[in-house]
Amino acid sequence: MDSVWMELPRSAFPPLREDLHVQVCVVGGGIAGLTSAYLLSRAGRSVALLDDGAPGSGMTQMSTGHLTCMLDDRFFELERLRGREAARLAAESHTAAIERIAAIVAGERIDCDLARLDGYLFLAPGDVPETLERELEAARRAGLHRVTRQERAPFPSFDSGPC
């Protein structure tokens, strides 16, 4: 099954062929760039959105469209590299972005089947349970207090192990 992002009409977005004068130029037409351009234009700014492909055609195209507060590189790693305050700010930023996108969907009456679902972080092959414990503790220190440890994700056809 193709990503919903692959269904965008590509010919509707011609390349820039002349000088353009705007207040803000957003580079990157993924979900973050599109949201930024939308919010800036709603705030009355003139905006140009530039990308080397059609909107949503980069990394966003390869996603399922899920939005999450979890970090690919883990909160405990961010905390180790930049401190607890940076981890807290990252958690707040991700949470605020999700809430803003949900508000846009509601306000614009976008029929996109937005749903809030639980997410599960489980171990990669060869990883150790300590990784999950470290991430759980760091996520809670970052302010994500609803995060819990489960013995397995509730998928009958897949045994995730601890998550």
Side-chain angles (χ1 to χ4, degrees), residues 101-162:
I101 289 170
I104 291 168
V105 167
E108 296 288 347
R109 296 186 176 123
I110 300 170
D111 183 15
C112 64
D113 296 328
L114 178 68
R116 294 184 184 262
L117 306 169
D118 292 331
Y120 299 91
L121 174 65
F122 46 89
L123 297 171
D127 206 347
V128 294
E130 178 192 39
T131 301
L132 288 177
E133 294 306 319
R134 290 176 66 199
E135 184 63 0
L136 175 61
E137 292 166 9
R140 287 180 175 164
R141 284 191 299 271
L144 300 173
H145 301 291
R146 294 180 55 206
V147 177
T148 62
R149 186 184 189 284
Q150 303 293 314
E151 289 307 312
R152 66 177 282 171
F155 309 126
S157 63
F158 173 68
D159 183 2
S160 68

Side-chain angles (χ1 to χ4, degrees), residues 10 18-19 40 91 94 103-104 109:
R10 304 298 184 208
E18 58 193 39
D19 288 348
L40 286 160
H94 280 74
I104 291 168
R109 296 186 176 123

Side-chain angles (χ1 to χ4, degrees), residues 7-17 34 49 51 53-56:
E7 297 175 13
L8 287 174
R10 304 298 184 208
S11 61
F13 307 102
L16 185 61
R17 299 194 189 284
L34 289 167
L49 177 67
D51 198 299

Side-chain angles (χ1 to χ4, degrees), residues 12-79:
F13 307 102
L16 185 61
R17 299 194 189 284
E18 58 193 39
D19 288 348
L20 188 64
H21 298 278
V22 294
Q23 292 172 306
V24 181
C25 176
V26 175
V27 179
I31 189 67
L34 289 167
T35 303
S36 297
Y38 169 85
L39 292 171
L40 286 160
S41 68
R42 293 285 298 194
R45 303 294 189 267
S46 59
V47 180
L49 177 67
L50 302 179
D51 198 299
D52 64 351
S57 65
M59 290 304 294
T60 295
Q61 173 179 277
M62 305 315 273
S63 79
T64 60
H66 74 279
L67 307 170
T68 180
C69 289
M70 299 311 295
L71 304 176
D72 289 342
D73 293 327
R74 308 288 172 252
F75 280 104
F76 68 82
E77 281 296 320
L78 179 57
E79 199 177 78

